[in-house]
Amino acid sequence: MTTTDTLTQPGPARSGAKPMIELLGLTKRFPGTAEAAVDGLTLTVDEGEITVLVGPSGCGKTTSMELINRLIEPTSGRILIDGKDMTHTNPDELRRHIGYVIQETGLLPHRTIAQNVGIVPKLLGWDKARIAARVDELLEMVGMDPATYRGRYPKELSGGQRQRVGVARALAADPPVMLMDEPFGAIDPITRERLQNEFLRLQQQVRKTIIFVTHDIDEALKMGDRIAVLRNQSHIAQYDTPENLLTSPADDYVSDFIGTGASLKRLNLSRVRDIEMATDAPTASVSAPVAEVRAALLASSWTSLLLLDAAGRPVRWVTSRDLGRAERGAALADVGLPVEAIVEPHATLADALDELIASNVGCTVVVDGSGAYQGIVDLETIMIVVRTVRDEYERFHLAQKLAQQPADGRAR
Amino acid sequence: MADTALATRATGGPDSAVLRRGGSGLSWFGMPVLLAVILGATYLWVGSLELDTIERRTLNADQLTRSTLEHLHMTAVSTAIVIVLAIPLGVLLSRPFARPVVPAVLGVANIGQGVPSFGLITIVILWTSLGFWPMIIGLVACSMLPILRNTMVGLEQVDRTAVKASRGMGMSPLQVLLRVELPLAFPVMIAGIRTALIINVGTATLGTFFGQGGLGFIVYNGITLNRTPVLITGVVLVSALALLVDYLAGALGRLLAPRGL
Amino acid sequence: MTFTEYLTRNYDNLLELGLEHLNLVLVSMGIALVVGLPLGIVAHRNGFLRNPILSTAGFFLTLPSLALFAIFIPVFGIGAPPAIAALSLYALLPIVSNTVAGLASVSPAVVKASQGMGMTGFQRLLRVELPLAWPVILTGIRVSTQVVVGIAAIAALVGGPGLGTEIFRGLRSQGNASAPNLVYGGTLGVIVLALLLDAAFLLIRRLTISRGIR
């Protein structure tokens, strides 16, 4: 079981990656207050990992984050980034090398999107051509067409688009470290979900070392490679991987914070790529002769066949009856049902389940980054995962109870 | 015309909070103490001078008292009239039936900002004659806008839900106006009155050019006779009067303001 | 002589007086801006100095204009200088208070983000805070200008230049048949100048305010 002794760096054995951010006894005492806002926070974040600080409002998580880029000067303690002590360097210089995303985005309303993204490169003295190229690259990266959005102003974007620009802006000078303060907090749930997924995919490419603040445990479980659950004054209640947090919460505070439905929440932790998806579904090209398609369907044990376009992207589901209509002259591209439930391998099972429930067929299609067909996740696959997780979880808790309270009938 | 800026200050958007904060000892007693010091220092300075006959003709207790009283008289009468005229007019213009004419009134009010008070009073005098009442008409014309505008703005910004709730409890429109809207609009209206007062004190200084005396007489005598002690005395007296009137109006507004606002 | 006749005959004279008047206004506004903007910035950044600065600027606006003009005569003598000094002080409050209000209205999130990206205090002021506060500051400048155009007419009473001299001439020749024309001409000139300056501000607004915050 994990202890709350933060100085010894608890949690699972670390993979041997090098520490990128080290906070050593970071303390902030605001003048005129009896209690420190942040009291002796010690935390190490490994290179390329997302560490989430999560806790109820007022626990000091935002203050802790602002101590790192020294928007708030620490009263005592040290900040090491990549092994170098940043506690007394020039704060402006320091901040230019730390990406920073906040909930309200803080885009400059009087500057265009391109100018906003280019702020830090400009501060760093890049030449114009290099900035322009970088801006386009970043907008592309966050899924916004540079030609369309470059010259727009923040007020002309939706909340989700603004936050995308906020992320692009933070990445502009390719900082090794990023701080994200509830970046998706002010966005509607559906867009938030999408932005989270996009961001995780982006992180796969850019591999930044990130500290991410949220008050939402579900977001923490989804985004974090490691999660620090904070109580008052940024005391760490538990610093652990999401799996360990769910299966072995350190104490009642942590388990209360995680709340009910822990096994459902575990669906947030399993990625589609980690489970065995069905790859035996019949597929055929949308431009193939109908007879060939029917043959493929008949040769399988499935009742529907997935039509793919030239690039291997799923287009439509067709049944035997749909093929009959095609034989009577309808185009293959017009029969059957459009494929609506599509996820990528890094999506969580919870996402896959969501898609599946909302779709018109009982399964979700998995595609790779370019949209090409990979496999199928159906309800049964997900049910198996849920069952195993639940069994493991219950076994674990039973064992824990037996170990802790051998002769006590109070056990719930 | 100073009224634009003063009205901006009084109706103030975001800035009114900055400007109208206070309640500390300094804001209650600072101004009277400052005025006493300045007046005292001027008295001692002028008293220490050897005044020539020309200076003595203006700088004597009789003349100073008379000018001050004339000045106060013009200020008091014009302010009283402008309050009596502008507040009911502002209330009328804030009623729903007046809505169509409001933009026109505000448009005229905006153009009115560019009218020089000196020119306006001269025109009034030319149309009528030299005299106390023509001067008063000029003053009223110059100070009408801030009260009118602040009354309209003050009533406009009253919380609509408070009005609706009061109607819902069965108050008549008149009762709502008297018991809810006017008390809630009071701070903004009093700021308008205060502004009008300052304009009147300031513009009454021009009274001497229209044969109505006032403290402008002392100042102008100082200029034309090239006698600095006279000029300084006039400037100090009229400035002190303006600051005192502003201070008293502010204090009165604070005392009368409904609690909770 | 009808007013139209007066206008056609005195067109040159009125134009010259109008230019004098405009000159008076522009010089005074220039001084007020050079002093008022930094004062506003200081008042915004330093909570301790905010009230003293705003009260002082408010103090000048409370003084009767004739008194403010007159007080500078012993220093500068008769003519344009005392008028410029007085008008500059008059123009101060709207500029200072709107600078403070404008800077205070800049979203804290934008300020925090700029800081978090590593802008220095000066860069933040120049590139973020002032551009965002500019619409409010410009309104203050516009109000100041209107005030100054009107009050500048009084400069004539203390021997200053501008359209006020025409009004004053009319007043002194009261009873004369031409007197009303002089007063109308001067007054109308001031109003026209005020309207022209207001139109100029609309143009400046268009040209200097980013489309992103319009």
Side-chain angles (χ1 to χ4, degrees), chain C residues 6-26:
Chain C
Y6 157 81
L7 276 186
T8 40
R9 248 183 252 177
N10 285 273
Y11 172 76
D12 286 355
N13 179 35
L14 275 177
L15 195 66
E16 195 178 315
L17 289 175
L19 286 176
E20 270 178 31
H21 204 99
L22 180 67
N23 195 27
L24 199 59
V25 171
L26 291 183

Side-chain angles (χ1 to χ4, degrees), chain B residues 30-98:
Chain B
M31 187 51 78
V33 170
L34 179 72
L35 291 179
V37 168
I38 292 175
L39 286 171
T42 313
Y43 180 76
L44 289 177
W45 175 65
V46 174
S48 74
L49 297 174
E50 280 289 329
L51 298 180
D52 59 28
T53 45
I54 300 175
E55 285 167 342
R56 247 175 291 156
R57 208 173 297 144
T58 316
L59 290 187
N60 60 69
D62 268 1
Q63 180 60 51
L64 293 182
T65 318
R66 194 169 69 214
S67 294
T68 308
L69 287 178
E70 283 166 352
H71 206 106
L72 280 174
H73 189 202
M74 280 188 278
T75 306
V77 174
S78 57
T79 306
I81 291 177
V82 84
I83 290 174
V84 169
L85 285 180
I87 287 186
L89 191 59
V91 171
L92 272 179
L93 284 171
S94 73
R95 297 300 90 190
F97 59 79

Side-chain angles (χ1 to χ4, degrees), chain B residues 1 4-5 8-9 15 18 21 116 118-119 122-123 126-127 198 205-206 209-210 219-220 223 231 235 238-239 242-243, chain C residues 50-51 54 59 61-64 66-67 70-71 93-94 97 143 147 150-151 157-158 168 171 180 183-184 187 190 194:
Chain B
M1 279 203 311
T4 353
T8 317
R9 181 167 63 145
D15 56 343
V18 199
R21 213 177 48 195
F118 176 44
T122 314
I123 291 174
L126 289 176
W127 282 349
I198 301 308
T205 320
L206 303 181
F209 298 100
F210 305 103
V219 178
Y220 197 58
I223 299 172
L231 182 149
V235 166
V238 77
S239 300
L243 292 167
Chain C
R50 186 171 313 144
N51 266 350
L54 287 168
F59 169 87
L61 202 54
T62 309
L63 299 182
L66 186 70
I71 195 75
L93 181 69
S97 71
V143 169
V147 171
I151 294 184
L157 298 178
V158 294
F168 200 28
L171 178 64
V183 177
Y184 295 156
T187 308
V190 176

Side-chain angles (χ1 to χ4, degrees), chain A residues 84-391:
Chain A
K84 287 191 284 287
D85 192 329
M86 295 296 176
T87 325
H88 301 292
T89 53
N90 176 339
D92 295 323
E93 201 52 46
L94 167 73
R95 290 179 200 133
R96 289 173 197 175
H97 299 284
I98 299 180
Y100 186 48
V101 186
I102 57 175
Q103 180 178 337
E104 311 89 337
T105 66
L107 295 184
L108 305 188
H110 61 303
R111 299 285 183 84
T112 62
I113 299 310
Q115 286 169 333
N116 265 287
V117 176
I119 291 173
V120 178
K122 196 174 165 198
L123 287 173
L124 292 172
W126 294 15
D127 64 64
K128 272 192 183 154
R130 186 172 167 210
I131 296 178
R134 179 65 177 157
V135 166
D136 284 4
E137 180 189 350
L138 283 161
L139 287 179
E140 201 89 64
M141 214 191 259
V142 296
M144 295 178 70
D145 175 32
T148 312
Y149 291 105
R150 211 189 277 134
R152 295 214 180 158
Y153 284 93
K155 70 170 181 190
E156 296 164 334
L157 303 188
S158 69
Q161 288 173 325
R162 262 179 243 164
Q163 204 49 270
R164 283 193 182 98
V165 175
V167 170
R169 186 172 71 170
L171 286 169
D174 206 12
V177 170
M178 276 176 73
L179 304 178
M180 307 180 78
D181 191 355
E182 305 227 10
F184 310 129
I187 291 170
D188 69 273
I190 294 168
T191 314
R192 186 192 306 150
E193 192 83 27
R194 192 179 304 149
L195 286 181
Q196 287 168 342
N197 293 339
E198 282 175 10
F199 185 74
L200 285 172
R201 187 173 54 195
L202 196 62
Q203 167 68 354
Q204 300 270 326
Q205 301 172 33
V206 296
R207 285 279 161 206
K208 299 292 176 196
T209 309
I210 295 168
I211 292 188
F212 189 109
V213 162
T214 180
H215 64 268
D216 175 359
I217 185 69
D218 291 315
E219 187 172 54
L221 291 167
K222 179 169 183 183
M223 304 303 287
D225 294 312
R226 235 171 256 267
I227 295 168
V229 181
L230 303 180
R231 56 173 113 238
N232 254 347
Q233 302 178 277
S234 273
H235 288 145
I236 298 182
Q238 185 169 2
Y239 183 36
D240 225 324
T241 61
E243 288 80 3
N244 285 346
L245 215 59
L246 284 175
T247 50
S248 46
D251 54 21
D252 286 351
Y253 177 81
V254 176
S255 48
D256 281 354
F257 195 77
I258 293 170
T260 52
S263 61
L264 257 182
K265 281 185 179 136
R266 268 220 67 169
L267 283 182
N268 273 317
L269 301 178
S270 315
R271 310 266 164 196
V272 168
R273 60 167 176 261
D274 302 332
I275 61 162
E276 223 165 283
M277 53 190 171
T279 48
D280 61 337
T283 60
S285 166
V286 73
S287 53
V290 181
E292 202 175 290
V293 177
R294 185 176 283 284
L297 180 59
L298 285 174
S300 75
S301 59
W302 291 62
T303 52
S304 304
L305 176 143
L306 189 60
L307 288 174
L308 309 175
D309 68 9
R313 291 186 291 246
V315 186
R316 293 184 94 79
W317 285 108
V318 288
T319 61
S320 174
R321 199 195 307 166
D322 297 326
L323 290 177
R325 286 181 52 209
E327 277 153 3
R328 287 193 294 277
L332 261 183
D334 294 334
V335 298
L337 294 166
V339 178
E340 283 170 346
I342 297 178
V343 293
E344 293 184 27
H346 61 78
T348 65
L349 284 192
D351 295 336
L353 183 62
D354 264 3
E355 291 281 333
L356 189 152
I357 289 167
S359 79
N360 42 19
V361 282
C363 47
T364 302
V365 178
V366 183
V367 298
D368 65 13
S370 67
Y373 168 74
Q374 297 265 291
I376 302 281
V377 175
D378 59 9
L379 194 55
E380 204 182 333
T381 326
I382 294 174
M383 283 307 295
I384 292 168
V385 177
V386 173
R387 224 170 294 137
T388 356
V389 169
R390 197 182 51 208
D391 290 352

